[in-house]
Amino acid sequence: MAEAAPSPSLPQSAAKPLSAPQKALRKLGLVRAIDLALHLPLRYEDETRITRLADAREGESVQIEGTVTGCEVVQRPRRQLLVTLDDGSATCTLRFFSFYPSHQKTLSVGARIRARGELRGGLLGWTMMHPSFRVASGELPDALTPVYPTSAGLPQAYLRRAVQAALQRADLSDTVPPEALAECPGLRLPGQGCPWSLREALQFLHHPAPDVPLAALEDRSHPAWQRLKAEELLAQQLSQYRAKQERAGLRAPALPSRPGGLHEQLLAALPFPLTAAQRRVGEEIARDLARTVPMHRLLQGDVGSGKTVVAALAAAVAIDAGWQCALMAPTEILAEQHFAKLVGWLQPLLEPLGQEVAWLTGSQKKKDRAEMLARIETGRAALVVGTHAVIQEQVRFHKLALAIIDEQHRFGVAQRLALREKMQGTGLEPHLLMMSATPIPRTLAMSYYADLDVSTIDELPPGRTPIVTKLLADSRRDELIERLRRQVAEGRQVYWVCPLIEDSEALDLSNATATHAELSAAMDGLVGADGSPVLVGLLHSRMPPAEKKAVMALFSQGVMGVLVSTTVIEVGVDVPNASLMVIEHAERFGLSQLHQLRGRVGRGTAASVCLLLYSPDENGRVSPTARERLRAMVETNDGFEIARRDLDIRGPGEFLGARQSGSPLLRFADLATDSHLLEWAREWAPRVLDQWPDLAHKHLDRWLGGKSDYLKA
Ligand code: ADP
Ligand code: MG
């Protein structure tokens, strides 16, 4: 650290242009001194001791110090710089294939040098390939040298100085109350009574003493790491708890369930009794709706568990109380299906009241749309079902009280905010019910989703037969198609899903159009159980909505035997007679996507099968993660288990999807290993916020900066 360095601190005024490393710092989000102080090393290098060559072992990473006795550029077989270093006990050759004149100057004969690298033995004695080196001067450092995560244009040495300066400058006073720390597991070193301060923990992690067991630093089990993880988790929980508290201060219309009301009428009219799980979550939702605090609830249940009817019952409560309800789905097909179902269930009850279920989508004719908008504005449309169109500006609700979002992970924060704004001017917020078929593993629910109340449907309607899942190499495709012919002739309906709609040069995937042609040819002349010819349909996202709708209608009426499609049918589509699902190039799909697709079958009483066709690469291999996904599919039908394995395979980043875009992921804590700290943070966040609000705010600002707004939607 002795050499003169440009100041790593960032200029505050806009007048001075940023240097390249300063720009790189910004890009990494290292703006404030505290950001740099919290930028922790990936690993460490031990420059604290010198190893005598005579005592060294082959393969060891060591630092040696000696005098240069030779320095020459040779051409055998490649141009290279060979430097001989003599430490008095033996000599070592330093070998460089890329080097600058400055190297030769520093490493000239007679210079005293420290070099670090891996020692290799050989016929000619010790060698180090491309060691790091410096002129031997001054004392050896008394701490390990940190190696930070960095990026192009940001040299490690610059970053080290920047972090070091920031550690001096930043306010590192403790923001976690001692009472909370005292109960935090894992913070104590053996034999020490008191956990460290944040400053001590950071000093230690940036510059640990050389006698620290490296394993405890690397697996982050060391108390100093535990402290940082605990701080981070506390910040996350505080921000979620605060969002929840802020919501508790808002008001929503109270929607009590009335005996004999629409809700009970709908229950009586349903063609099936609710499952116990549906009844339970229905009651949880009804309790929320009856309160004046806006509901913020996630309804999760595996594909086919019957979430739609629970949503319809919630809508009935809202309508019965004299308010409107909106239901939004991510795709037109899905919205259409909801609409059909909800019209069937609710329209007969609404009509006598002069009300109706309305339909709103982007592809509607202008005239129809204008008509719908008018009915929504007057309140005649008691329930509005649709796509994103529901939240567009022109849509003015008369009295919106409940917003239901299906497949919530497909929607972002902005869309949820837009829904809430539909009540602006009234001083009220709508109740929010989000639905998802991708269950959230417990650790995620406790951390990222802690601001949500969660209701879970953990039971399928009776009479479902479990889906049998099988893997099949694409080389056996002809065999499969032959089997399909027989089954379709018996009246079974088949989904065949392809990953892309057109050939892409980069990915040699067979496409839906080609498969459609292939299957059409294979089914040519085939007659179904009812004596009519078997139709093979095609569905992909670039088709005009009217055509999609027509194809979907033919399939759900049972007129069409095979539906070839891209993943547009992934979510929510419900055709109980379909009992065979073929997924082509299954190795290309994500795990939860595969599970969603599989959930399209097994909805009726027929025994259902899901066939995963996979294509090994030219070496006959399927990637290890793809294999893990396929194995998980064969081994379990349980959505929770699938979600848990998906989390293992992908990590939380991708799992969270649109919900978390732009909001901070956990950097240090790992939900798989740190649940003890998560439990602690969950328990303490409310107490800290209530009893030490100033500390809580300082803590949030330190850890999340301006980013915590995202968590409020
Ligand atoms: P998902 O939870 O995947 O959205 P759906 O709401 O589409 O599931 O329901 C799947 C199918 O099960 C639908 O055909 C629905 O009408 C039917 N269903 C829902 N609840 C029950 C029940 N309690 N008994 C029998 N069938 C039900
Ligand atoms: Mg659904």
Side-chain angles (χ1 to χ4, degrees):
M1 307 293 136
E3 45 266 77
S7 162
S9 65
L10 296 174
Q12 294 302 307
S13 74
K16 208 163 139 199
L18 292 181
S19 68
Q22 283 169 336
K23 278 189 200 151
L25 281 180
R26 288 249 145 135
K27 260 205 175 133
L28 289 176
L30 304 177
V31 180
R32 308 170 301 171
I34 187 70
D35 300 329
L36 280 157
L38 295 175
H39 190 63
L40 292 179
L42 276 179
R43 57 186 179 83
Y44 304 91
E45 281 171 357
D46 189 352
E47 296 179 331
T48 61
R49 32 181 167 222
I50 305 285
T51 303
R52 256 164 50 99
L53 281 168
D55 303 334
R57 279 182 320 235
E58 164 92 44
E60 224 180 346
S61 278
V62 294
Q63 177 169 243
I64 56 176
E65 180 174 322
T67 307
V68 176
T69 55
C71 178
E72 53 172 345
V73 176
V74 298
Q75 300 281 353
R76 41 155 212 233
R78 268 171 66 189
R79 186 175 139 82
Q80 52 188 285
L81 175 66
L82 292 181
V83 175
T84 313
L85 203 64
D86 185 341
D87 80 346
S89 74
T91 63
C92 179
T93 306
L94 315 182
R95 192 185 288 267
F96 301 88
F97 286 108
S98 64
F99 53 93
Y100 298 101
S102 63
H103 281 68
Q104 283 158 274
K105 201 162 151 227
T106 310
L107 296 166
S108 56
V109 172
R112 188 109 189 122
I113 294 295
R114 280 178 202 153
R116 271 196 81 256
E118 191 183 312
L119 271 182
R120 306 245 179 91
L123 289 176
L124 303 174
W126 294 116
T127 312
M128 273 186 190
M129 302 287 285
H130 277 270
S132 56
F133 63 88
R134 63 167 76 192
V135 173
S137 68
E139 309 254 303
L140 289 170
D142 51 15
L144 299 178
T145 308
V147 179
Y148 293 105
T150 184
S151 63
L154 185 57
Q156 194 60 235
Y158 183 96
L159 186 51
R160 276 182 195 143
R161 287 191 299 270
V163 171
Q164 193 50 37
L167 274 173
Q168 309 304 324
R169 209 165 66 237
D171 169 12
L172 298 178
S173 57
D174 273 6
T175 48
V176 184
E179 288 86 342
L181 281 178
E183 286 189 18
C184 186
L187 293 194
R188 268 161 240 264
L189 275 177
Q192 277 193 308
C194 180
W196 305 355
S197 67
L198 175 66
R199 174 178 293 282
E200 285 164 339
L202 281 174
Q203 282 293 358
F204 174 84
L205 289 175
H206 285 289
H207 301 287
D211 57 350
V212 169
L214 274 179
L217 288 179
E218 269 154 26
D219 72 10
R220 301 188 172 182
S221 62
H222 190 279
W225 263 119
Q226 298 282 309
R227 169 71 191 253
L228 268 288
K229 296 199 242 192
E231 293 238 344
E232 180 180 45
L233 285 165
L234 183 65
Q236 187 198 46
Q237 293 296 315
L238 276 173
S239 102
Q240 302 235 354
Y241 185 73
R242 191 176 60 175
K244 205 163 180 170
Q245 251 192 355
E246 279 171 13
R247 206 163 16 244
L250 300 174
R251 285 179 53 83
L255 310 171
S257 311
R258 193 167 54 92
L262 268 183
H263 173 263
E264 284 190 4
Q265 294 170 34
L266 174 55
L267 267 180
L270 285 175
F272 46 73
L274 294 185
T275 62
Q278 282 171 320
R279 272 204 308 279
R280 176 174 42 77
V281 301
E283 281 160 18
E284 286 164 5
I285 292 167
R287 263 201 299 279
D288 282 0
L289 291 178
R291 300 170 60 208
T292 54
V293 175
M295 172 167 73
H296 193 65
R297 185 170 287 276
L298 177 72
L299 172 58
Q300 59 176 4
D302 209 347
V303 281
S305 61
K307 295 184 288 293
T308 319
V309 68
V310 174
L313 288 164
V317 171
I319 296 167
D320 195 59
W323 294 78
Q324 284 170 299
C325 170
L327 191 155
M328 194 163 79
T331 68
E332 190 141 351
I333 289 186
L334 189 53
E336 181 95 26
Q337 287 219 352
H338 283 321
F339 180 65
K341 229 174 221 162
L342 292 163
V343 165
W345 286 333
L346 283 168
Q347 193 81 353
L349 306 176
L350 291 178
E351 239 159 39
L353 309 173
Q355 292 187 309
E356 65 181 20
V357 182
W359 168 242
L360 206 59
T361 139
S363 67
Q364 239 160 352
K365 287 207 196 85
K366 264 223 169 83
K367 196 168 135 268
D368 294 347
R369 190 175 158 78
E371 175 75 42
M372 286 300 171
L373 289 177
R375 290 183 193 178
I376 294 168
E377 197 156 359
T378 61
R380 181 187 163 85
L383 169 61
V384 184
V385 180
T387 56
H388 292 78
V390 172
I391 50 169
Q392 271 155 10
E393 252 173 79
Q394 311 91 301
V395 187
R396 294 219 165 68
F397 285 89
H398 179 60
K399 291 172 84 178
L400 179 68
L402 170 64
I404 303 173
I405 304 180
D406 197 15
E407 303 302 338
Q408 63 90 24
H409 57 286
R410 296 288 199 93
F411 291 100
V413 170
Q415 285 144 347
R416 283 201 294 276
L417 284 175
L419 255 176
R420 292 173 49 183
E421 273 160 20
K422 288 290 169 203
M423 292 188 78
Q424 233 166 27
T426 64
L428 292 173
E429 292 269 320
H431 295 282
L432 200 56
L433 178 64
M434 293 165 263
M435 305 201 285
S436 173
T438 309
I440 308 169
R442 203 178 100 83
T443 47
L444 280 194
M446 282 168 57
S447 54
Y448 292 99
Y449 290 86
D451 63 328
L452 273 184
D453 297 311
V454 179
S455 289
T456 306
I457 308 185
D458 51 7
E459 158 186 30
L460 293 179
R464 303 275 170 84
T465 48
I467 306 164
V468 175
T469 303
K470 290 179 185 159
L471 293 179
L472 199 68
D474 194 58
S475 52
R476 294 175 58 192
R477 193 182 175 96
D478 291 346
E479 217 176 294
L480 167 64
I481 291 176
E482 194 44 48
R483 239 163 62 200
L484 271 191
R485 271 180 63 89
R486 285 201 301 276
Q487 304 201 334
V488 170
E490 286 164 14
R492 283 185 98 165
Q493 284 185 282
V494 182
Y495 290 105
W496 186 300
V497 179
C498 309
L500 271 187
I501 56 160
E502 269 161 18
D503 273 326
S504 130
E505 283 175 2
L507 305 167
D508 180 25
L509 299 177
S510 61
N511 59 67
T513 318
T515 301
H516 177 246
E518 179 188 6
L519 292 177
S520 300
M523 305 292 155
D524 196 28
L526 193 67
V527 174
D530 62 352
S532 54
V534 168
L535 294 183
V536 180
L538 175 62
L539 194 66
H540 61 70
S541 54
R542 299 209 195 149
M543 277 161 55
E547 210 178 316
K548 275 192 217 166
K549 197 166 153 179
V551 170
M552 221 36 237
L554 285 174
F555 191 67
S556 41
Q557 289 154 19
V559 180
M560 185 177 278
V562 183
L563 180 61
V564 177
S565 102
T566 56
T567 53
V568 290
I569 63 149
E570 176 192 342
V571 285
V573 172
D574 185 32
V575 179
N577 189 49
S579 61
L580 180 58
M581 164 67 64
V582 181
I583 304 174
E584 198 171 307
H585 279 295
E587 77 281 0
R588 307 251 181 202
F589 289 88
L591 186 50
S592 63
Q593 209 179 7
L594 287 172
H595 181 65
Q596 291 272 320
L597 285 167
R598 174 169 61 183
R600 298 312 104 211
V601 296
R603 307 194 143 225
T605 43
S608 293
V609 175
C610 173
L611 280 175
L612 303 174
L613 275 182
Y614 64 93
S615 311
D617 63 17
E618 62 268 28
N619 302 317
R621 279 205 296 265
V622 173
S623 80
T625 51
R627 207 164 338 148
E628 249 179 277
R629 292 195 295 267
L630 296 178
R631 182 179 314 133
M633 283 294 288
V634 173
E635 285 174 0
T636 180
N637 258 319
D638 174 356
F640 277 91
E641 176 63 15
I642 291 276
R644 203 189 54 71
R645 294 205 197 184
D646 205 22
L647 180 63
D648 282 351
I649 297 173
R650 293 196 298 176
E654 284 187 63
F655 203 92
L656 296 169
R659 171 178 170 82
Q660 291 293 326
S661 54
S663 83
L665 284 171
L666 294 170
R667 280 185 286 167
F668 303 138
D670 177 348
L671 297 178
T673 54
D674 300 327
S675 53
H676 59 296
L677 296 174
L678 178 58
E679 300 274 5
W680 169 82
R682 261 167 74 84
E683 193 194 318
W684 277 92
R687 291 159 78 175
V688 173
L689 197 57
D690 295 344
Q691 293 178 37
W692 297 274
D694 293 346
L695 283 183
H697 289 126
K698 193 166 166 189
H699 189 77
L700 276 169
D701 182 57
R702 171 180 288 172
W703 278 92
L704 299 177
K707 294 175 198 157
S708 58
D709 265 3
Y710 277 98
L711 296 169
K712 288 186 198 152

